[in-house]
Amino acid sequence: MKTLGLLLVLVLPDAGRRDSGFHPANLRPLRSVPLGQARTYAVAFSPDGRHLAAGGGDGTTLVFDTLSWRVIHRLKGHPQGVYGLAFSPDGRALATAGARDGMVRLWDVATGAPLREIKGGRGISYRIAFHPRGAAALVAGEGDAARVVGVERGDAIASLDGHRGLSYACAFGGDGKRAATSDTEGTIHLWRVEDGWSRERRIAARGGLIYALAFSRDGKRLLSGGGSGELVLWDVQSGRELLAFKGQSGEVRCAAFSPNGRHVVSAADGAVRVWDAASGLEVRRLEGKKGTSFELAMHPAGAMFAIAGDDGQLDLYGR
């Protein structure tokens, strides 16, 4: 009996996250949090869901406690906008990217103190993603387009060539064996990480610049959102289009899977939509989101999601 009890303690937290608290029928607006700046380009939950970070157009990143929604840190280090945010897999560090010098900055989540600067990029860094093991980070931006850096020493690991123009989005598969980046002409680049960052294939997506990329938790599917209302699901192994989610207009800048991969959430043209990931059908719509939505972050257990945009507030939805 003691052994069984120990097994329950070890298994239940992860099982709860995979089972997910995400239920489309029960979704509702939870709260709108004023951010004190006109535009907020990036938002991210910590892996344990206890913190949420929001990066704004004035170069400030706010870190919230998600129980009280109190601001616990105001991180200032980028002279211009913060366009990308990512928590390390252990939740102890926060990476911020932006400005026009390609700089990535690491911060201590507990204290708010700066840890280090990672140099080497040229132009704006738009998005950043940690490898699941935390030793490296993938950066999408201008100039170098996409690059891989070592987190501890800030050294360059790889330059991912072949992008047309800038790269706006990047993501790692759940097991870290694959990564994806996008470019201006609507091409998705898939990379095999364990083969020295070799390019596995190019996927010609529709809609010009790809703003959003997200892998399903099992790494078998890839979601992309583009500049002309395109939201598409791809098979990672073959590069084949599985389905397109129809009914949106305008730019799809943000989209995410629910933790169990059964649903997709997107925000565009003044509405938040929830889609069935198997059929592509819209199963829920929440109207009233104003302005342009720049990024959507899903709580790791699916209990809520957050959307940041150009309306000066952070909108939270859940049950």
Side-chain angles (χ1 to χ4, degrees):
M1 293 299 293
K2 289 183 179 180
T3 302
L4 178 59
L6 178 60
L7 285 173
L8 287 175
V9 169
L10 290 174
V11 171
L12 281 177
D14 188 64
R17 289 175 68 170
R18 290 182 182 276
D19 186 44
S20 170
F22 188 87
H23 303 287
N26 298 331
L27 289 175
R28 60 183 178 86
L30 294 178
R31 65 171 68 214
S32 293
V33 181
L35 296 174
Q37 47 194 320
R39 292 189 170 203
T40 303
Y41 293 106
V43 62
F45 279 101
S46 62
D48 61 5
R50 294 176 57 187
H51 299 99
L52 181 143
D58 67 351
T60 301
T61 299
L62 303 179
V63 181
F64 292 87
D65 177 286
T66 57
L67 293 178
S68 64
W69 292 106
R70 180 176 60 89
V71 176
I72 59 172
H73 302 308
R74 295 178 183 271
L75 310 178
K76 297 182 178 180
H78 294 276
Q80 295 167 319
V82 175
Y83 297 101
L85 291 172
F87 283 91
S88 61
D90 63 9
R92 296 180 180 179
L94 174 67
T96 61
R100 294 191 177 276
D101 56 3
M103 187 76 71
V104 172
R105 289 178 166 83
L106 291 178
W107 310 82
D108 185 286
V109 173
T111 66
L115 294 174
R116 67 186 60 86
E117 295 180 346
I118 299 176
K119 302 179 181 180
R122 294 178 291 119
I124 298 173
S125 293
Y126 288 108
R127 292 289 186 247
I128 183 167
F130 271 96
H131 187 276
R133 290 197 292 270
L138 177 58
V139 184
E142 295 178 327
D144 302 283
R147 57 196 171 98
V148 187
V149 296
V151 175
E152 287 298 320
R153 296 184 298 178
D155 54 328
I157 293 177
S159 178
L160 306 184
D161 300 324
H163 296 81
R164 298 292 184 98
L166 60 85
S167 178
Y168 193 89
C170 61
F172 278 104
D175 58 6
K177 294 181 180 180
R178 282 190 176 93
T181 57
S182 66
D183 66 25
T184 307
E185 295 189 355
T187 302
I188 299 169
H189 304 253
L190 287 175
W191 308 88
R192 294 197 65 86
V193 177
E194 295 182 341
D195 293 338
W197 288 92
S198 63
R199 192 192 321 273
E200 185 173 14
R201 68 174 47 84
R202 292 180 173 91
I203 298 174
R206 302 180 299 274
L209 177 61
I210 300 297
Y211 286 105
L213 288 173
F215 282 92
S216 58
R217 191 187 289 256
D218 61 11
K220 295 180 179 180
R221 295 169 294 163
L222 179 67
L223 183 67
S224 69
S228 61
E230 295 290 340
L231 183 63
V232 181
L233 196 61
W234 308 90
D235 178 75
V236 172
Q237 186 66 35
S238 65
R240 179 174 58 89
E241 180 180 319
L242 295 174
L243 57 87
F245 303 91
K246 302 293 185 180
Q248 296 181 129
S249 61
E251 297 176 336
V252 180
R253 288 177 172 258
C254 56
F257 282 99
S258 64
N260 60 18
R262 296 175 185 169
H263 296 94
V264 166
V265 182
S266 65
D269 59 24
V272 178
R273 291 176 169 86
V274 183
W275 312 84
D276 182 274
S279 66
L281 297 177
E282 181 181 312
V283 297
R284 187 73 194 277
R285 184 183 303 190
L286 299 163
E287 302 285 358
K289 176 62 180 170
K290 299 178 181 178
T292 301
S293 298
F294 291 122
E295 192 164 27
L296 185 154
M298 183 69 64
H299 187 278
M304 69 181 85
F305 58 88
I307 300 176
D310 62 0
D311 58 358
Q313 61 189 25
L314 183 70
D315 291 311
L316 295 155
Y317 301 83
R319 56 186 176 88

